[in-house]
Amino acid sequence: MRTVIYPGSFDPVTNGHLDVIQRAARLFDRVIVAVANNDGKQPLFTLEERRQLVARVTRTLANVETDSFDGLLIDYARARRADAIIRGLRAVSDFEFEFQLALINRRLNEAVETIFVMPREAYTFLSSRIVKEICRLGGDVSAFVPAPVLHALERKFGRPHARRARLRE
Ligand code: ADP
């Protein structure tokens, strides 16, 4: 049984993340989407909200489960007996950081391999940060996130027309 961990902030999960999850689910027997409790970042959604949204949007994928974790990813990977860590690579901008992270994790634990997948081109520009920014400014993000995430964003920010009206005041 081959297990892979897909770690990230998922604040919130986007269609780009979902693309990576679907690819991972085809490659591995078990995929654990692990939502990081990262104190360094100020998330829009709580850890539990982020985990629940990932669970909602991956409900139909039988070999995908969700979890959250604290501390070192590599310790978590060992505890979950994972064979690999999967990350998405969008563009050159992701490469340097991801390269560093993968090599450090290899130094910490040789047994866990990091693998990278490229999302569909349409998602290469997509990030949770961009989605939140568009949403905050009253834009429509329905093409970028699954429906449950869109509704969760609307509950945080209000409906698009209301947000735009607020910004004009
Ligand atoms: P982090 O806080 O680790 O950056 P994110 O939730 O932003 O967490 O991203 C988690 C992983 O998903 C990273 O490997 C990131 O490169 C990847 N990722 C994020 N958005 C996309 C996307 N649109 N397409 C492919 N991979 C993505």
Side-chain angles (χ1 to χ4, degrees):
M1 172 113 151
R2 290 257 163 215
T3 299
V4 70
I5 289 177
Y6 180 28
S9 308
F10 304 103
D11 185 37
V13 59
T14 68
N15 289 340
H17 293 126
L18 208 48
D19 179 289
V20 173
I21 295 170
Q22 283 159 351
R23 287 172 204 281
R26 285 197 292 270
L27 289 168
F28 287 85
D29 302 307
R30 180 163 74 133
V31 180
I32 302 170
V33 184
V35 183
N37 187 13
N38 188 340
D39 290 335
K41 292 187 179 173
Q42 279 280 320
L44 174 66
F45 292 96
T46 67
L47 185 65
E48 191 47 26
E49 284 172 332
R50 286 180 277 145
R51 198 197 59 74
Q52 276 178 13
L53 284 173
V54 175
R56 275 288 293 282
V57 304
T58 56
R59 237 186 348 211
T60 55
L61 299 166
N63 60 339
V64 175
E65 53 188 90
T66 59
D67 194 7
S68 53
F69 75 103
D70 265 315
L72 269 183
L73 170 63
I74 211 74
D75 289 341
Y76 174 74
R78 192 180 289 130
R80 299 300 313 257
R81 299 176 184 282
D83 301 285
I85 291 165
I86 195 165
R87 298 281 289 176
L89 267 191
R90 279 165 293 196
V92 190
S93 53
D94 271 340
F95 181 76
E96 196 163 339
F97 174 70
E98 293 292 343
F99 182 69
Q100 202 176 12
L101 199 66
L103 292 185
I104 287 280
N105 282 333
R106 178 180 287 165
R107 259 311 263 284
L108 297 174
N109 185 350
E110 285 271 346
V112 179
E113 201 65 59
T114 301
I115 66 167
F116 295 100
V117 292
M118 275 71 144
R120 198 192 298 183
E121 293 99 280
Y123 300 141
T124 51
F125 62 90
L126 201 55
S127 71
S128 301
R129 191 182 58 79
I130 291 277
V131 164
K132 285 180 284 189
E133 190 62 11
I134 296 173
C135 212
R136 197 178 62 79
L137 297 172
D140 176 12
V141 294
S142 56
F144 309 140
V145 293
V149 176
L150 185 67
H151 299 143
L153 282 164
E154 286 181 353
R155 281 195 295 276
K156 291 273 180 195
F157 290 107
R159 313 275 287 187
H161 63 274
R163 291 197 296 270
R164 282 198 292 274
R166 245 194 343 259
L167 285 167
R168 279 197 298 272
E169 275 167 15

